[in-house]
Amino acid sequence: MHLRAQAPVRLDFGGAWTDVDLYAQEFGGAVFNATINHYVTGEQNVTDEGLQVRYGFELPTGSGLGTSAALNVCWFGLIGGKTDPDRCRVAEQAYGLEALLGILGGRQDQYAAAFGGFNLMRFGGGSNVEVEQVALVPDVVTTLEKRSVLVYTGTPRLSGNIHENVWGGFRSGRRETVAAFHGLKEVGLALPEALKSGDFAAFAALLAQNWEHQKNLDPSVSNAQIEKLFAVAESAGAIGGKACGAGGGGCLYFVTEEGTQLAVVNALVAAGARYIPFQFESAGLQVAAD
């Protein structure tokens, strides 16, 4: 039997970090994210010689877009052998594998890759995860695409090092770190309403707030290169943005003034960033049999 699968990566608009159990078990976390049309793809063949599995993805490693989680979701989708997989089960399996490997992370990436679309996710610790699919009118999605810019800084983010710094501050009760976590959660909860109402200025302002909270987690979340790219983007028409994932490198996401998307792209590329065109997608994990 031949199976094919694909799982999308995600943009985390707000609330990331609060999906990690260390925070979610005590305070409850909230993340708003959306999947885009860049995928981890895989195929599985069962032959007389045994089981053959292959994977591929086009994005750079360390992008901060949840590629590793999408790969694991794709893998469990394949080995599950079902064209209508249990998305919660696959997401938990993918998370469990990373936990087994000692990776300290949250669950938003796995659930995003499994479910697809725009989602407000609430985390109560462990497998206590609620996925609320946020319905947006097509015009809002199209306009957001026309006002969005995603770039790769050229430097992979080192998530593990940043996690050690941030969680060290959280465990020790560092006031700025704990307050930043609470702020991230508030932004995650507020973002869907701004987008549903088509208020892109408010949406961009919340992205900017999220970025400030991210930086307050630990100085390693940003660096001189990232700050330079933010300044370049803002001077060309960006009105809000953030680093994707843990930060420290990887991808940056911006929302622009109407009509300035191309100017922002050109300015960032001239400054050394790599532009990544995308559209939003809503299918999530897909498994097909030939």
Side-chain angles (χ1 to χ4, degrees):
M1 182 173 67
H2 179 232
L3 290 175
R4 291 175 289 106
Q6 67 176 30
V9 300
R10 60 92 188 101
L11 293 178
D12 58 313
F13 297 126
W17 289 96
T18 71
D19 58 320
V20 178
D21 279 350
L22 287 173
Y23 180 85
Q25 286 178 340
E26 184 173 357
F27 299 105
V31 175
F32 181 49
N33 59 29
T35 50
I36 61 176
N37 64 341
H38 289 273
Y39 303 92
V40 172
T41 59
E43 60 179 315
Q44 172 183 287
N45 283 304
V46 179
T47 69
D48 293 338
E49 298 177 356
L51 179 67
Q52 298 175 335
V53 182
R54 294 188 296 179
Y55 300 97
F57 56 91
E58 62 197 40
L59 292 169
T61 57
S63 63
L65 300 176
T67 304
S68 61
L71 190 152
N72 290 332
V73 165
C74 185
W75 184 59
F76 279 107
L78 283 173
I79 65 174
K82 297 181 179 180
T83 57
D84 58 341
D86 180 328
R87 298 179 188 275
C88 287
R89 183 169 185 269
V90 169
E92 281 298 316
Q93 288 174 321
Y95 172 82
L97 177 59
E98 294 192 19
L100 185 65
L101 296 173
I103 298 172
L104 178 59
R107 284 174 162 83
Q108 67 141 329
D109 296 353
Q110 296 84 359
Y111 276 82
F115 280 85
F118 288 81
N119 292 297
L120 174 60
M121 301 180 182
R122 295 179 174 86
F123 303 90
S127 60
N128 181 11
V129 181
E130 297 178 11
V131 180
E132 177 187 341
Q133 295 190 303
V134 178
L136 300 173
V137 297
D139 283 350
V140 167
V141 177
T142 300
T143 301
L144 183 59
E145 288 174 345
K146 292 178 178 178
R147 296 181 61 170
S148 291
V149 174
L150 179 65
V151 296
Y152 178 60
T153 61
T155 304
R157 56 91 181 105
L158 299 175
S159 179
N161 295 339
I162 294 174
H163 272 273
E164 289 177 10
N165 294 341
V166 171
W167 292 114
F170 180 78
R171 288 189 179 103
S172 68
R174 179 176 177 266
R175 183 178 301 175
E176 294 84 356
T177 300
V178 175
F181 270 99
H182 295 331
L184 289 167
K185 176 183 174 180
E186 291 174 4
V187 171
L189 291 169
L191 279 163
E193 290 305 318
L195 202 53
K196 284 194 287 187
S197 65
D199 191 341
F200 295 101
F203 183 74
L206 286 166
L207 288 179
Q209 287 182 31
N210 196 92
W211 177 229
E212 291 304 314
H213 292 314
Q214 282 179 266
K215 291 190 289 185
N216 286 336
L217 290 171
D218 188 79
S220 62
V221 170
S222 189
N223 54 46
Q225 180 200 25
I226 291 175
E227 293 301 320
K228 175 187 174 183
L229 291 173
F230 264 83
V232 167
E234 290 165 359
S235 67
I239 56 175
K242 65 181 295 295
C244 299
C251 287
L252 308 178
Y253 171 71
F254 299 97
V255 170
T256 67
E257 288 278 10
E258 188 174 2
T260 66
Q261 182 191 51
L262 182 58
V264 174
V265 169
N266 289 340
L268 287 167
V269 170
R274 170 186 161 187
Y275 174 50
I276 302 176
F278 74 89
Q279 292 178 309
F280 294 104
E281 73 92 64
S282 60
L285 172 65
Q286 297 180 73
V287 182
D290 294 341

